[in-house]
Amino acid sequence: MPETRGPARGWVLPAAAGVASVALGLGVGQLVAAVVAPASSPVVVVGSLLIDLAPPWAKDTAIALFGTGDKAALLVGIGLVLLTVAGAAGVLEARRPPWGMVVVGAVGVVGAVAAASRANASMLAIVPSAVAAVAAMITLTFLLKKLAPATAADPAPTPAPAPAAATPAAPVAPATPAAAASVDRRRFLGWAGGAVALGALAALGGYALQAGARAVTAVRDAIRLPTAATTATVPAGAELGIDGLAPIVTPNAEFYRIDTALAVPAVDPADWSLRIHGLVDREVTLTWDELLALPLEESITTLACVSNEVGGGLIGNAVWLGYPIRELLERAGPSADADMVLSRSIDGFTASTPLEVLQDDRNAILAVGMNGEPLPTEHGFPVRMVVPGLYGYVSATKWVVDLEVTRFDAASAYWTDRGWGERGPIKISSRIDVPRQGQSVSPDSAVLAGVAWHQHVGIAGVEVQIDDGEWRTAELATAISDDTWVQWKYEWPDASTGSHTVRVRALGADGEVQTAKRQGVVPDGATGLDEVTVEVR
């Protein structure tokens, strides 16, 4: 009878051993992180390091493919890579020990280095990744021992001669190698499944122990912001009321989120403070209570991400509550040769904002409220910057804790270090919301509608073009201010049946006409005209 190959001599079960071992290790790492270093979960720190190392084209590709789901996509991608590496480590360790252990250890080292490189990392930051690697290695050793090739059972002993009158006993059949191997496989799968389950329980335990984020959420929910000393209102006529058209004020739940924080920082307002320093006459430190005691102002401002493609949705308009940054800078007294403010988030992100922008008459504020409630945690609670007229990567720092008055030739920021422009003024642009690409309209009720923006300058007009024809003037809604987008519509009187290409362009209050020249988002924002194909039926 041919020899049955033992399970450890294949690759499926060793790969499963590797996956189960790493799953348990990650769960244990999550649990340890919750106890000693909540911001140092192995997967999160590796993901954050990948975000930091990603070139601009990779960031743009991720946002183009996944939009505001880019972080979830990154975590899924990390998970798939870890599963692949874990499976390979299991096979390597079964066939060529100790190389599987070397691979697992290397993954742990990557996690530890990533944790140590994060802003404000403590001495314990490397512990979760180190413990995760050790737990994975111990588990892998244990599981592979369970995969030792099954040996045939010893043959039954020859029975002693029986008396002649006795009935001979039936011989006992020996266990076959295949049967023993089957039993070993079942035992192994039980152990491997147990390791995965234990890892899942450890991860859930780690989540349960991370009470900081939930405590901050409870604090946020209990906050009652002071009444604004200066209020902002949406004028009558600002909302055209057309189905499918973006609302003039974007609800918090629909406001885009693009940032580098894979895990949203949990900042207790009681622990928050802002330091203003650098090229100033005097340092200024501001606490949460001191900020709320100031005469806060409401303002309505449109924010846009530099990664917003032409016609894209990475833009939103909100009612913000905060205090003018220019007033705080006046307290500090910037020196005459300063030209930039380097803002810093609690997670280490930095943005470089021209000093003159923060000192002019625009509503550049330290915001504490958004659409009538405290800032959502994912949008910067407790305090963020809101600066009209600049893309977020150079101005809209969330979870802000530090403002350094400096110079562009002396300091640089997170995205400018990665090839993006220094100053980031938002470009004049417009978008078609109604109808969407490929939608059909009726010839007797064809309406085109959308939004246009040219922050801190204002929109003077919007024009639409049908099938390369002449540009036609659209109707503008009432603008809230020069720092917000404005809705527009065009009632299409001569819509003929068939397929048509519709384009839109904005006209700035300064005479600038939105260019038709196509440019990608790198290095300082996309240009070109939004267009859709419409079926008139």
Side-chain angles (χ1 to χ4, degrees):
M1 180 175 180
E3 180 185 356
T4 302
R5 189 171 68 170
R9 295 169 67 182
W11 65 271
V12 175
L13 295 184
V19 170
S21 302
V22 170
L24 186 143
L26 290 175
V28 171
Q30 179 71 26
L31 180 61
V32 172
V35 175
V36 302
S40 297
S41 168
V43 173
V44 170
V45 295
V46 170
S48 298
L49 180 63
L50 291 176
I51 291 174
D52 290 347
L53 296 177
W57 64 264
K59 168 183 173 289
D60 297 336
T61 301
I63 293 175
L65 290 174
F66 305 109
T68 55
D70 58 337
K71 295 174 182 63
L74 175 60
L75 289 174
V76 170
I78 291 173
L80 293 175
V81 170
L82 280 175
L83 288 177
T84 302
V85 172
V91 175
L92 270 175
E93 187 62 22
R95 295 183 176 180
R96 296 183 180 277
W99 289 109
M101 296 297 180
V102 171
V103 171
V104 174
V107 172
V109 169
V110 170
V113 170
S117 68
R118 307 314 301 159
N120 305 316
S122 69
M123 294 294 291
L124 297 175
I126 67 172
V127 173
S129 293
V131 172
V134 171
M137 294 166 75
I138 292 173
T139 306
L140 181 57
T141 300
F142 174 81
L143 290 177
L144 289 181
K145 285 182 178 179
K146 296 297 179 182
L147 280 178
T151 58
D154 292 336
T158 303
T167 302
V172 178
T176 65
S182 176
V183 172
D184 282 351
R185 286 192 187 93
R186 288 196 296 270
R187 289 176 178 170
F188 164 77
L189 292 175
W191 283 110
V196 173
L198 188 59
L201 287 174
L204 290 173
Y207 176 77
L209 288 175
Q210 284 185 325
R214 289 182 291 282
V216 167
T217 299
V219 169
R220 176 193 175 274
D221 292 343
I223 287 175
R224 297 295 178 265
L225 295 174
T227 302
T230 303
T231 60
T233 58
V234 177
E239 190 86 60
L240 294 177
I242 298 174
D243 287 343
L245 177 59
I248 194 65
V249 174
T250 310
N252 289 355
E254 299 174 16
F255 208 95
Y256 78 94
R257 180 201 165 198
I258 298 292
D259 53 53
T260 63
L262 196 56
V264 175
V267 184
D268 190 329
D271 300 327
W272 178 87
S273 65
L274 177 78
R275 178 187 177 214
I276 304 175
H277 62 105
L279 300 177
V280 295
D281 294 337
R282 65 199 69 85
E283 283 197 13
V284 173
T285 301
L286 190 70
T287 67
W288 170 256
D289 289 339
E290 290 170 340
L291 176 57
L292 291 193
L294 296 171
L296 304 182
E297 301 178 1
E298 270 190 348
S299 54
I300 305 177
T301 298
T302 297
L303 298 184
C305 179
V306 72
S307 295
N308 196 36
E309 299 281 358
V310 173
L314 301 182
I315 182 171
N317 191 48
V319 181
W320 307 93
L321 176 68
Y323 189 71
I325 296 174
R326 63 176 175 273
E327 301 290 347
L328 297 175
L329 289 173
E330 186 175 348
R331 287 192 196 180
S335 66
D337 59 341
D339 63 4
M340 186 259 276
V341 173
L342 187 71
S343 56
R344 185 178 301 275
S345 167
I346 197 168
D347 68 351
F349 173 83
T350 54
S352 54
T353 309
L355 177 60
E356 61 183 2
V357 169
L358 299 177
Q359 291 180 308
D360 66 18
D361 61 351
R362 75 186 74 198
N363 293 315
I365 61 172
L366 285 180
V368 297
M370 181 179 182
N371 290 334
E373 62 182 73
L375 290 171
T377 53
E378 65 272 19
H379 289 295
F381 179 80
V383 184
R384 68 170 294 167
M385 290 174 62
V386 172
V387 182
L390 299 183
Y391 287 118
Y393 81 102
V394 294
S395 66
T397 303
K398 303 174 184 178
W399 314 287
V400 62
V401 294
D402 190 273
L403 299 180
E404 180 186 358
V405 179
T406 181
R407 294 184 52 81
F408 279 105
D409 59 9
S412 57
Y414 185 93
W415 285 117
T416 52
D417 285 341
R418 289 158 175 80
W420 295 77
E422 278 186 339
R423 297 172 184 266
I426 295 178
K427 297 176 179 178
I428 183 172
S429 194
S430 55
R431 188 180 76 195
I432 301 170
D433 286 354
V434 179
R436 299 293 183 184
Q437 174 67 28
Q439 282 187 335
S440 60
V441 298
S442 172
D444 56 356
S445 60
V447 175
L448 311 175
V451 288
W453 58 91
H454 194 15
Q455 281 98 320
H456 210 57
V457 175
I459 293 293
V462 169
E463 297 178 335
V464 297
Q465 183 186 52
I466 315 294
D467 296 329
D468 298 320
E470 295 183 353
W471 287 96
R472 311 179 185 192
T473 301
E475 176 186 343
L476 290 181
T478 302
I480 298 174
S481 75
D482 291 343
D483 290 332
T484 67
W485 63 11
V486 61
Q487 294 182 346
W488 62 267
K489 71 175 182 178
Y490 177 74
E491 297 180 352
W492 189 359
D494 54 349
S496 58
T497 57
S499 180
H500 301 275
T501 299
V502 178
R503 298 181 186 87
V504 63
R505 71 181 181 186
L507 312 177
D510 58 356
E512 183 179 0
V513 178
Q514 182 181 346
T515 180
K517 182 180 179 181
R518 282 277 178 177
Q519 174 187 302
V521 298
V522 181
D524 57 3
T527 63
L529 303 181
D530 190 22
E531 66 176 54
V532 297
T533 301
V534 180
E535 295 291 333
V536 179
R537 298 176 181 173

